[in-house]
Amino acid sequence: MTKTAWVFPGQGSQALNMGIDLLKISSAKAKFDQAEAILGWSVSDICENDEEKLSRTAYTQPCLYVVESILADLLREKGQQPNLVAGHSLGEYIALYVAGVFDWSTGLQLVKRRAEIMDSAAGGMMAALLNFDREKLEKVISATPDVVLANDNSPAQVVISGTPEAVQTVISQVKAKRALPLKVSGAFHSHLMAAAAEEFQAILEKTDFQTAAIPVSSNVDPVPEIDANILKQRLIQQMTGSVRWREISLQLPENGIEKVVEIGPGNVLTGLIKRTASGLILENIRHAAELPE
């Protein structure tokens, strides 16, 4: 059997009409209905009709959780199972659900609160840098207060996060092929999220986590883990900690993984993995048509 990892994208991968084809599948339609009862609004309505709301953190994260988790469940119904799971930022919640750390509705309730808290954490900014001098970047970040490396995505792509002034200072001092401000409400994955993280930590601490049935590579620590307490502590650190996706990618072959399946809209993660770790079979399941027969 080919050792396989399933990976789940986070905010930024959402797209209008994502998941709408799943409504024709009765088990998936039931999950959409269940989600509406938990959220108080319709995921399918927003995914189909409201691009503006879909791009707002409070709605983006629950929509992605619902669509990605349904695709993963349909894949499991086809008899497939991963040997390892990982997710990028919000995607880590779907990974933990698939690993059996918490049930589906608990995961959605956590994501709902996380999204609301993050959506209200205004005042910072994030920017993606493409093709840059990493050594120079690390030096400038260490010399500039109020900015951090938020997402270490691949050797050639990172995201920095902090106050607008500090982010602009880094952009002006580090030559990059492209520097793109991200459409987010705050400085996610930085110390500027400390108050939001503290509020969310109280919610996480009250939530029961189970031992994972499948090892999980976490954003703040790429070493695969199944211990419930360790996975919870890693998740508590996630809102202010860096997303170490480049290291997660490098760990995949080291853990014997031969194939990676990205489950969810777009192909961001398979693209990042391709640029970081060689020799892996990469697949995408973005919608129902890409599920195996």
Side-chain angles (χ1 to χ4, degrees), residues 224-280:
E225 184 56 71
I226 61 166
D227 183 274
N229 291 326
I230 293 172
L231 290 169
K232 183 184 281 192
Q233 285 308 309
R234 288 178 173 183
L235 207 55
I236 285 169
Q237 294 165 35
Q238 197 219 57
M239 207 181 273
T240 54
S242 294
V243 177
R244 295 164 62 184
W245 193 259
R246 179 177 61 88
E247 293 170 77
I248 288 174
S249 301
L250 291 169
Q251 281 265 343
L252 294 169
E254 287 181 26
N255 287 294
I257 296 298
E258 301 158 273
K259 182 165 95 171
V260 180
V261 182
E262 180 177 1
I263 299 170
N267 53 3
V268 171
L269 298 185
T270 42
L272 294 173
I273 292 165
K274 187 178 184 177
R275 291 193 285 275
T276 308
S278 58
L280 293 164

Side-chain angles (χ1 to χ4, degrees), residues 46-78:
I46 285 173
C47 287
E48 192 167 20
N49 303 311
D50 200 332
E51 194 163 13
E52 189 187 341
K53 265 190 178 172
L54 185 58
S55 68
R56 268 191 55 200
T57 298
Y59 296 96
T60 312
Q61 296 186 9
C63 287
L64 286 169
Y65 177 90
V66 170
V67 171
E68 292 178 25
S69 61
I70 289 172
L71 283 169
D73 284 342
L74 291 169
L75 200 50
R76 292 195 284 193
E77 282 175 25
K78 306 274 188 188

Side-chain angles (χ1 to χ4, degrees), residues 39-213:
L39 297 167
W41 47 268
S42 166
V43 168
S44 56
D45 279 358
I46 285 173
C47 287
E48 192 167 20
N49 303 311
D50 200 332
E51 194 163 13
E52 189 187 341
K53 265 190 178 172
L54 185 58
S55 68
R56 268 191 55 200
T57 298
Y59 296 96
T60 312
Q61 296 186 9
C63 287
L64 286 169
Y65 177 90
V66 170
V67 171
E68 292 178 25
S69 61
I70 289 172
L71 283 169
D73 284 342
L74 291 169
L75 200 50
R76 292 195 284 193
E77 282 175 25
K78 306 274 188 188
Q80 301 210 12
Q81 276 287 55
N83 302 97
L84 180 78
V85 288
H88 193 286
S89 194
L90 175 273
E92 189 168 325
Y93 286 79
I94 302 106
L96 290 165
Y97 158 67
V98 168
V101 174
F102 42 66
D103 64 30
W104 186 82
S105 57
T106 298
L108 182 54
Q109 284 158 348
L110 284 175
V111 166
K112 177 180 185 283
R113 289 298 296 125
R114 178 188 193 261
E116 289 165 349
I117 291 166
M118 288 177 76
D119 195 45
S120 62
M125 77 172 283
M126 302 178 77
L129 301 182
L130 306 174
N131 296 340
F132 51 89
D133 180 330
R134 184 172 285 264
E135 199 177 319
K136 172 78 170 167
L137 176 70
E138 287 170 359
K139 274 185 187 166
V140 173
I141 286 176
S142 66
T144 309
D146 290 331
V147 65
V148 297
L149 182 64
N151 299 358
D152 185 5
N153 285 330
S154 78
Q157 199 226 80
V158 298
V159 174
I160 57 174
S161 180
T163 63
E165 300 77 24
V167 170
Q168 293 296 351
T169 296
V170 173
I171 290 171
S172 68
Q173 291 184 28
V174 178
K175 280 185 183 167
K177 188 177 179 184
R178 289 172 80 194
L180 308 167
L182 302 186
K183 290 178 186 174
V184 292
S185 57
F188 301 161
H189 298 290
S190 82
H191 56 290
L192 298 178
M193 296 296 291
E198 196 174 330
E199 185 181 347
F200 191 56
Q201 179 174 344
I203 297 163
L204 278 174
E205 281 175 346
K206 286 187 230 162
T207 306
D208 283 336
F209 277 38
Q210 307 298 318
T211 301

